[in-house]
Amino acid sequence: MRGKWRAWSWWMRGVVVVLALVAVVSVPVAGILTALLVYNVGEQSEQARSRGKDAFWLGHAWVDGRRTDADIDGLAKLLAGTGIRDLYVHTGPLEHDGSLRDDLAPRARWFVDAVHTKLPGIRVQSWLGDIVQPEFDGLDVESAASRERVVASARRVLDYGFDGVHYDLEPIRSGSPGYLALLEQTRVMTAAAEVTLSVSAPVIDPLPGLHSVGIAVADHGKWWSQAYFAEVARRVDQVAVMSYDTAMPTRALYSGYVAQQTELALEVTPAAVDLLMGAPAFWADDPGHHGAAETVAAAVRGIRLGQTRTDVGRANFGVALYVDFAATPQDWADYRQGWCVTA
């Protein structure tokens, strides 16, 4: 997730990792690009459409007093006729010790109540995030004390009436036992409260072992192994893949990348777990994200291709749009036309 803590150097590290991989394993660049272009080829099934289980990330303005009843009315109009069921509203960030400041979300209860009143059927989840160790001076998920404080923070936000907890802790390294322990601890609490536990997840290794190369070459945990992704998915109710910030330079390559990611995630996510593929409703132009290439339309094409080839009948599947304060009318048009079933 893009946030104030994500420095440009992080994206450069991702680029360095990709280049290093090419050098280390002697994979021709042309071969990699050709493979991604192949993923972008094919027909999209008409069954690969919204199941009414999509999601939308919302910024902090909805809970800190900047939004009004008129904004809720506007949100209701924006979501009408779409497949969006879940809203992840930014309620943190967590402190680096896992605690949550009392003054961050004074209007959280108002927002949850307003959505429940004016948008019946929409679930509101509390989005709690932070940067994590060892890549940053942040939260230590390997610490039992820190995990206990995170779970306590999650329990606190449920007192505002949220329908779930959405963790966005970055960058969790593939294989982290502490993160799995955190999810297990949190799920005990969310299950007892009968609410949803969801997470933002990075993309899966586009080439086997890429996460290990990233850590060894650039000390950068950008990717997860498919096996670790499966471990995470088994411990939550919903997983939203951040399938953007890929450094792909063209729309065709980006669509192919997303199609591949969709297939990899579908292969290992339990049928009962909601799998959502992210779509970039924001603009950026830097080494890790080419705005002209990474569009909602290109993401939706890749998602539909991947679903068509892997599990077109899957019920618990959707698209997650990031983010409300950057989304344009064109982003919404592309989402509606490409993914939502129209009358």
Side-chain angles (χ1 to χ4, degrees):
M1 198 66 55
R2 287 181 171 256
K4 62 184 179 182
W5 55 74
R6 303 186 72 178
W8 179 84
S9 61
W10 191 0
W11 308 116
M12 276 306 299
R13 281 191 233 177
V15 175
V16 169
V17 170
V18 173
L19 295 176
L21 178 70
V22 172
V24 169
V25 301
S26 300
V27 177
V29 173
I32 297 173
L33 299 183
T34 299
L36 291 178
L37 289 174
V38 169
Y39 275 106
N40 187 42
V41 174
E43 296 296 323
Q44 305 164 76
S45 170
E46 280 304 309
Q47 295 182 59
R49 296 283 189 176
S50 178
R51 272 81 165 127
K53 296 185 177 182
D54 302 333
F56 189 28
W57 279 282
L58 302 179
H60 201 80
W62 292 97
V63 297
D64 68 3
R66 284 177 282 173
R67 298 294 191 180
T68 66
D69 288 336
D71 292 312
I72 296 290
D73 292 336
L75 182 63
K77 292 179 181 178
L78 187 65
L79 301 186
T82 71
I84 291 175
R85 177 187 61 172
D86 286 289
L87 301 177
Y88 308 137
V89 60
H90 190 266
T91 319
L94 295 168
E95 297 297 297
H96 292 340
D97 67 356
S99 62
L100 184 67
R101 283 170 36 206
D102 291 328
D103 61 341
L104 288 179
R107 295 272 279 170
R109 169 64 73 175
W110 164 83
F111 178 69
V112 173
D113 289 346
V115 171
H116 286 166
T117 299
K118 295 188 177 183
L119 290 84
I122 297 292
R123 302 189 306 191
V124 189
Q125 299 193 43
S126 172
W127 165 13
L128 298 174
D130 193 18
I131 54 174
V132 301
Q133 297 180 23
E135 199 156 325
F136 293 97
D137 181 17
L139 178 69
D140 180 8
V141 297
E142 308 306 330
S143 161
S146 294
R147 293 196 301 270
E148 289 175 3
R149 283 188 289 268
V150 172
V151 175
S153 296
R155 185 179 295 109
R156 281 181 53 206
V157 297
L158 293 185
D159 291 339
Y160 298 137
F162 282 107
D163 304 302
V165 174
H166 179 79
Y167 285 147
D168 174 31
L169 304 175
E170 299 182 46
I172 297 293
R173 293 194 168 181
S174 185
S176 165
Y179 187 58
L180 298 181
L182 172 63
L183 298 180
E184 291 168 356
Q185 291 172 251
T186 306
R187 199 170 191 186
V188 171
M189 183 267 294
T190 56
E194 298 183 333
V195 298
T196 300
L197 172 59
S198 66
V199 295
S200 292
V203 290
I204 298 168
D205 287 338
L207 292 171
L210 187 58
H211 69 280
S212 297
V213 175
I215 293 171
V217 173
D219 195 31
H220 179 50
K222 181 176 176 62
W223 300 277
W224 281 353
S225 71
Q226 191 182 39
Y228 187 70
F229 184 96
E231 290 290 335
V232 170
R234 285 195 286 268
R235 289 166 170 80
V236 298
D237 303 301
Q238 185 180 72
V239 55
V241 182
M242 296 179 288
S243 40
Y244 37 77
D245 295 333
T246 66
M248 293 297 105
T250 70
R251 291 190 184 189
L253 287 169
Y254 176 60
S255 288
Y257 191 103
V258 174
Q260 181 209 35
Q261 288 297 314
T262 302
E263 294 182 31
L264 291 171
L266 280 169
E267 288 171 358
V268 297
T269 303
V273 174
D274 292 335
L275 172 62
L276 308 180
M277 300 303 297
F282 67 91
W283 174 269
D285 197 14
D286 56 43
H289 184 108
H290 299 284
E294 297 199 25
T295 66
V296 170
V300 168
R301 173 177 171 79
I303 292 166
R304 292 185 62 196
L305 284 170
Q307 186 189 13
T308 297
R309 289 194 286 257
T310 309
D311 191 358
V312 74
R314 183 186 175 95
N316 295 318
F317 186 77
V319 166
L321 292 172
Y322 181 82
V323 60
D324 74 304
F325 53 78
T328 66
Q330 187 62 57
D331 292 330
W332 281 101
D334 290 341
Y335 162 69
R336 288 174 177 273
Q337 294 167 12
W339 182 244
C340 299
V341 177
T342 57

